[in-house]
Amino acid sequence: ISIIGFIIVSTVCYKIDYKRIYNYYSDRLYLQANEIANEYALDYFSETRLRSIELELHSVSVLNDTRIIFITPSGDVILDTNDSTKDKSNNDEKILYSIEDFDYGDLHGKHDILWNFYNLLNEPTLSVFAPISNSFEIKGYVVINIPDSVITDRVYDTFNTNYLTLIITLFLSASFLGLYFIQVHKPIKEITKATTEYGKGNLSYHIKPMLNDEIGRLGMSLDYMASHDFRSPLTSIKGYLEAIQDGTIPPEMLDKYIGIMLFETERLTKLTSNILTLNELDPKSVCLDISVFDLNSIIRHTVETFEGTCKKKGIKFNITYANSIQNVKADKGRIQQVIYNLIDNAIKFSKDGSYIYITVKEKGEKAQISIKDTG
C-alpha cells in the first residue's frame, strides 16, 4: 500500500498538479502577451521606441522570471529582454537576430508550447504567443517565455501537501489494519485452530477468551458446542456401553438402548458436519435444513438418551403434549440440539429426586416448548 501510494502520488498526482500550474501560467502569460501586443502595436515600427520598450519590458521580465521577445512573421527578432544572443555583425540594427525555421504553425492552433524555442534556450520553456496586428495585418508576435523549472518549483511548493496527506492516510490505514488484526484476524485464526483440533478429536481444547462481539460470541458458542454438545452424547454412549458390558442392562432391553446409542451417534454426525461447515467460515454454506417432522417424537427420543443419568439422580420427567402428533416445519437437527442442551442443563442443575417439566403448547401457527426444572 505504501509503495503503490507513493507511486500514485509521485506520478498521477504530480501530473495533475503540474497540469494545473502549467495552465495557470499559460493563461496568465497569454493575457499579459495580449496586453503588451495591444499597448505597443503602434510603437512596433519605431526602432527608437522599441529600445525604450525593451527597457520597460526588461523590468517586467526580471520581476516575473520571464523572457519577452518581439518576432516578425519571417523570424527576425526585433526585441529581446535578454539579448545575449544578439548578432553584433548584423548590419540592420533593428534586427537583433534571426530564426530561420520560425513558423507560427508549429503551435498547431494553440497559443502555448513547451520546448526550447528553436534551440535558443538551454532548458525546456513554456512559450506563449500573442499576435501583433495593425490594419488587420499580422506584423509580428509577442512571445513570453518562462522556464519549466519555475513551473516545477511552484508545483513542489504545493505538492508536498500530497505526501503529508499520504502519510496521514497510511497512518490511519495502519491503525485500521492493527485493529483488524486484533479484533478480526486473530480471533478467526483462533477459531479456525479450534475447529481443526475438534476435527482431530481433541474436544478438550478450549478457545482463548475473546472480546464480547460477534466473533467473540461465535468463539464461545463453538467452545460450548465442543465441550457440551459433543461430550454429552459421548458420555451417554459410553455409559450405555459400559452398562451393556457389565450386564446392568438385561438382554431383552438391548434393542432399546442400542437404538438410543444410534440416535446419539446420528446426532454426533450432524454436529461434526456443522463444525466442518463452521471451519469453512463461508456464510453461503450455513443454511437451515427445513423439513416437516413430529416435534413430540424428537422430545421423546431426546429424553430417552438421558435415562441413565436420570436414574442415578432419581430425576423424573413430567411431559405434557398438546396433541399426540405435533408436526412442525423447521430444521430438525438444530431444534433437536436446542432441546438436548436445555434438558441437559436442567438435569445438571436439578436436585436429586426432583422433576423436570416439559410442555408443548400451540400458539397460533407456532409450537411453544417449555422446559422447567427446580434447580
Side-chain angles (χ1 to χ4, degrees):
I1 292 174
S2 301
I3 294 172
I4 292 173
F6 179 80
I7 292 173
I8 290 174
V9 169
S10 300
T11 54
V12 178
C13 294
Y14 177 82
K15 288 180 179 179
I16 293 173
D17 279 7
Y18 179 86
K19 187 66 176 176
R20 178 175 58 84
I21 302 297
Y22 179 94
N23 290 336
Y24 166 78
Y25 275 106
S26 174
D27 294 340
R28 196 189 75 172
L29 294 180
Y30 183 61
L31 289 174
Q32 186 180 7
N34 275 295
E35 289 176 359
I36 294 172
N38 294 330
E39 184 175 355
Y40 299 113
L42 294 176
D43 300 320
Y44 184 80
F45 308 98
S46 171
E47 179 184 346
T48 305
R49 185 60 179 148
L50 275 176
R51 300 288 76 87
S52 174
I53 294 172
E54 186 174 6
L55 291 175
E56 295 176 19
L57 295 182
H58 179 76
S59 300
V60 176
S61 297
V62 172
L63 184 64
N64 296 327
D65 292 320
T66 57
R67 181 174 180 177
I68 302 174
I69 296 173
F70 283 13
I71 188 169
T72 66
S74 61
D76 294 329
V77 175
I78 59 175
L79 183 147
D80 187 346
T81 55
N82 181 4
D83 59 354
S84 58
T85 57
K86 181 179 178 180
D87 186 0
K88 304 296 182 180
S89 63
N90 197 318
N91 295 324
D92 189 346
E93 294 184 359
K94 185 178 179 180
I95 299 174
L96 303 181
Y97 55 91
S98 298
I99 299 175
E100 295 181 2
D101 299 327
F102 177 77
D103 183 3
Y104 184 70
D106 292 337
L107 273 70
H108 303 291
K110 299 188 298 180
H111 65 260
D112 62 68
I113 187 172
L114 186 66
W115 58 351
N116 61 1
F117 199 74
Y118 297 103
N119 298 318
L120 181 65
L121 307 174
N122 297 324
E123 61 176 311
T125 301
L126 168 62
S127 298
V128 177
F129 288 71
I132 300 173
S133 60
N134 185 268
S135 300
F136 304 101
E137 181 182 356
I138 300 297
K139 299 297 184 178
Y141 304 93
V142 176
V143 184
I144 303 181
N145 301 289
I146 186 168
D148 186 56
S149 58
V150 174
I151 299 175
T152 55
D153 288 345
R154 177 72 180 272
V155 171
Y156 283 120
D157 286 342
T158 58
F159 186 67
N160 290 332
T161 57
N162 292 329
Y163 285 111
L164 179 61
T165 304
L166 175 63
I167 291 171
I168 294 173
T169 303
L170 290 175
F171 174 77
L172 293 175
S173 300
S175 300
F176 171 78
L177 290 173
L179 289 173
Y180 169 81
F181 179 80
I182 295 172
Q183 295 191 346
V184 180
H185 176 76
K186 193 175 180 181
I188 287 180
K189 189 177 180 181
E190 174 64 20
I191 291 174
T192 304
K193 182 180 179 182
T195 56
T196 303
E197 291 295 324
Y198 298 152
K200 294 177 182 178
N202 181 18
L203 299 179
S204 61
Y205 183 86
H206 287 288
I207 296 176
K208 297 174 183 178
M210 299 180 181
L211 297 173
N212 187 28
D213 55 10
E214 289 82 356
I215 297 177
R217 288 193 289 273
L218 173 64
M220 289 187 288
S221 299
L222 178 62
D223 189 68
Y224 177 80
M225 183 172 69
S227 61
H228 187 279
D229 291 341
F230 276 94
R231 287 184 180 179
S232 297
L234 289 173
T235 301
S236 178
I237 293 170
K238 181 182 178 184
Y240 289 128
L241 287 174
E242 289 175 347
I244 292 172
Q245 187 180 41
D246 60 22
T248 303
I249 297 176
E252 62 272 15
M253 299 292 291
L254 281 178
D255 287 344
K256 174 186 175 181
Y257 291 103
I258 288 174
I260 293 173
M261 287 187 287
L262 286 172
F263 179 79
E264 291 289 82
T265 304
E266 182 182 352
R267 199 163 73 87
L268 279 174
T269 302
K270 290 180 180 179
L271 286 171
T272 304
S273 177
N274 287 345
I275 209 168
L276 289 174
T277 301
L278 180 61
N279 192 30
E280 295 174 1
L281 292 174
D282 183 3
K284 294 181 181 178
S285 65
V286 181
C287 56
L288 297 175
D289 183 14
I290 303 298
S291 63
V292 177
F293 59 91
D294 179 15
L295 182 61
N296 297 343
S297 175
I298 292 295
I299 294 173
R300 282 195 297 270
H301 279 93
T302 305
V303 168
E304 286 176 354
T305 62
F306 293 102
E307 185 177 331
T309 306
C310 290
K311 279 184 178 180
K312 290 179 182 179
K313 298 183 69 174
I315 295 174
K316 296 180 181 179
F317 286 92
N318 187 324
I319 307 176
T320 304
Y321 299 117
N323 300 295
S324 58
I325 296 177
Q326 191 75 49
N327 286 326
V328 294
K329 187 177 182 181
D331 188 318
K332 183 178 178 181
R334 281 172 165 74
I335 293 296
Q336 178 187 326
Q337 184 179 347
V338 173
I339 295 172
Y340 188 99
N341 289 346
L342 292 173
I343 294 175
D344 187 33
N345 282 335
I347 293 172
K348 283 181 179 178
F349 298 103
S350 292
K351 298 176 182 178
D352 293 354
S354 61
Y355 278 88
I356 294 175
Y357 301 90
I358 302 178
T359 306
V360 180
K361 296 179 181 179
E362 285 188 2
K363 283 203 170 185
E365 296 183 354
K366 305 288 185 181
Q368 183 191 65
I369 309 165
S370 171
I371 300 173
K372 299 180 181 180
D373 64 80
T374 55

